[in-house]
Amino acid sequence: MDNVNTYQLKIKQVFSEVSKVVVGQSYMVNRLLIGLFTGGHILLEGVPGLAKTLTINSLSKALHLDFQRIQFTPDLLPSDLIGTMIYNQNASAFEVKKGPIFANLILADEVNRSPAKVQSALLEAMQEKQVTIGETTYRLDLPFLVLATQNPVEHEGTYPLPEAQVDRFMMKVYIDYPRKEDELEIMRRMANMSFTDSVSKVLSRDDIFAIRNEINHVQISETLERYIIELVFATRRPAEYDLLDFAPYIQFGVSPRASIALNRAAKAVAYFDDRDYVLPEDIKEVAYDVMNHRIILNYEAEADGIRTKDFIESILRKVPIS
């Protein structure tokens, strides 16, 4: 229990260190830490200027991990990401030049600015934790986490992410504008040049693996496990769950990765709340971030103004905990 208390204090210290630089984005930091401690990749979406990149950069400084920021652009090539084979004239042989993907923490900045072939280069790394260059496969150092940012797809110069890649993100978190009080503080800091980028390192690699182990031991009852399955199946068969208003608009429900992510994320929420057991509220708290990007609506939904958020809210209201 002493170790758990120590780790709880360190997690709070991470929030404190990041808040030195970033104002009012504790929700974003919470989701990033859930991903870090459960091994799940996180996708942040929001208009430019909402401190998505700054938050990830600040978080990386609080960790004793190798960090790489990759700016995705329309002319980026897969080899710029994973590396390539280079011919060494002196040795008369090809040598491997590893790309920036060989780090523990990857910031894929504006990931939807690059075409599908570059985005797809992330698939093997995200799922298998390995990269293939030439005929050789290289294991990536653990922990390995992709924290990606993207602009809304309606913005000019963006490419929709392939569905297979989107599904590999544990959560897709929508970042909104700051509150009035937070924006006032941001304005004052920047106008008075009183901001700082000094963040102390708090968590080591061993700390991260230890916290992951503690979260794995958080208990979830069979009733709540079955509740997660019911939530997942409600997205696939809405008519069976008294969701007839939404049934005509659902093209695909969530994949099995969603049930795994709901379980892991709910355990992390409970752990952050200093509990060793999961409550129904923990599952509901992360349900939207876990499921919003995995539900595929059809064209009729867009025409009729049906939103994924409304569908998920209806699921949480109507699916009982039995």
Side-chain angles (χ1 to χ4, degrees):
M1 192 66 183
D2 291 338
N3 288 337
V4 176
N5 289 335
T6 299
Y7 296 138
Q8 295 285 357
L9 290 174
K10 287 191 174 185
I11 292 172
K12 291 181 173 62
Q13 191 177 349
V14 170
F15 277 95
S16 177
E17 290 297 322
V18 174
S19 67
K20 292 179 180 178
V21 181
V22 181
V23 178
Q25 292 291 5
S26 57
Y27 180 84
M28 191 197 318
V29 177
N30 176 275
R31 287 334 191 223
L32 292 174
L33 288 178
I34 287 177
L36 177 66
F37 296 139
T38 59
H41 311 292
I42 305 295
L43 177 62
L44 305 179
E45 179 173 307
V47 298
L50 298 184
K52 302 184 296 296
T53 302
L54 178 62
T55 301
I56 295 175
N57 269 316
S58 301
L59 176 61
S60 71
K61 294 176 181 177
L63 308 174
H64 291 272
L65 297 177
D66 293 330
F67 171 73
Q68 285 285 353
R69 177 183 181 274
I70 306 171
Q71 180 65 52
F72 280 64
T73 58
D75 60 347
L76 192 72
L77 298 174
S79 58
D80 297 328
L81 187 68
I82 64 174
T84 188
M85 303 288 290
I86 295 180
Y87 186 73
N88 187 328
Q89 291 184 336
N90 294 329
S92 298
F94 283 94
E95 296 179 349
V96 173
K97 177 178 172 56
K98 293 182 178 180
I101 198 73
F102 287 88
N104 300 119
L105 201 62
I106 302 296
L107 166 53
D109 208 5
E110 296 187 300
V111 68
N112 61 337
R113 291 285 183 193
S114 291
K117 65 179 180 180
V118 178
Q119 297 165 0
S120 298
L122 279 173
L123 288 177
E124 183 182 14
M126 291 175 67
Q127 183 63 29
E128 306 297 335
K129 307 296 191 297
Q130 65 184 29
V131 167
T132 301
I133 303 175
E135 298 180 354
T136 306
T137 298
Y138 300 89
R139 299 294 299 178
L140 297 171
D141 289 338
L142 299 180
F144 174 77
L145 194 68
V146 174
L147 305 177
T149 72
Q150 72 171 18
N151 296 316
V153 293
E154 295 82 5
H155 279 222
E156 185 176 352
T158 61
Y159 302 83
L161 296 179
E163 292 177 9
Q165 183 180 356
V166 172
D167 193 40
R168 281 167 168 78
F169 285 101
M170 179 186 192
M171 292 191 286
K172 180 180 180 181
V173 184
Y174 288 93
I175 309 302
D176 204 353
Y177 290 104
R179 298 176 305 152
K180 288 182 180 179
E181 295 80 4
D182 293 332
E183 188 146 352
L184 179 62
E185 176 63 21
I186 294 170
M187 181 185 67
R188 285 173 174 168
R189 285 191 186 186
M190 300 304 292
N192 297 329
M193 302 295 287
S194 59
F195 56 88
T196 178
D197 61 355
S198 177
V199 176
S200 300
K201 293 189 181 297
V202 178
L203 290 174
S204 67
R205 190 191 308 258
D206 290 341
D207 290 332
I208 292 168
F209 284 126
I211 291 172
R212 285 187 179 184
N213 184 59
E214 297 290 345
I215 290 175
N216 286 339
H217 285 84
V218 172
Q219 298 297 310
I220 180 169
S221 67
E222 183 178 349
T223 299
L224 291 185
E225 288 178 333
R226 293 189 177 278
Y227 176 58
I228 289 175
I229 300 302
E230 294 297 325
L231 292 177
V232 166
F233 269 73
T235 69
R236 304 170 187 168
R237 305 172 186 173
E240 297 179 11
Y241 291 83
D242 194 25
L243 295 162
L244 296 176
D245 292 344
F246 293 94
Y249 300 110
I250 307 303
Q251 186 172 357
F252 297 108
V254 302
S255 71
R257 286 194 182 99
S259 55
I260 299 169
L262 280 171
N263 186 304
R264 290 178 177 173
K267 287 183 176 181
V269 171
Y271 182 81
F272 287 178
D273 202 31
D274 205 9
R275 281 182 282 108
D276 61 358
Y277 56 90
V278 173
L279 296 175
E281 290 73 20
D282 300 328
I283 299 171
K284 293 177 180 179
E285 181 178 331
V286 296
Y288 178 69
D289 292 330
V290 167
M291 295 197 295
N292 73 81
H293 57 301
R294 293 183 165 97
I295 296 172
I296 308 299
L297 304 179
N298 55 30
Y299 291 110
E300 288 81 0
E302 184 176 354
D304 293 345
I306 301 299
R307 302 181 306 168
T308 306
K309 181 178 181 181
D310 299 328
F311 181 41
I312 296 174
E313 288 176 350
S314 294
I315 290 174
L316 294 176
R317 284 197 306 269
K318 294 197 173 184
V319 174
I321 303 174
S322 56

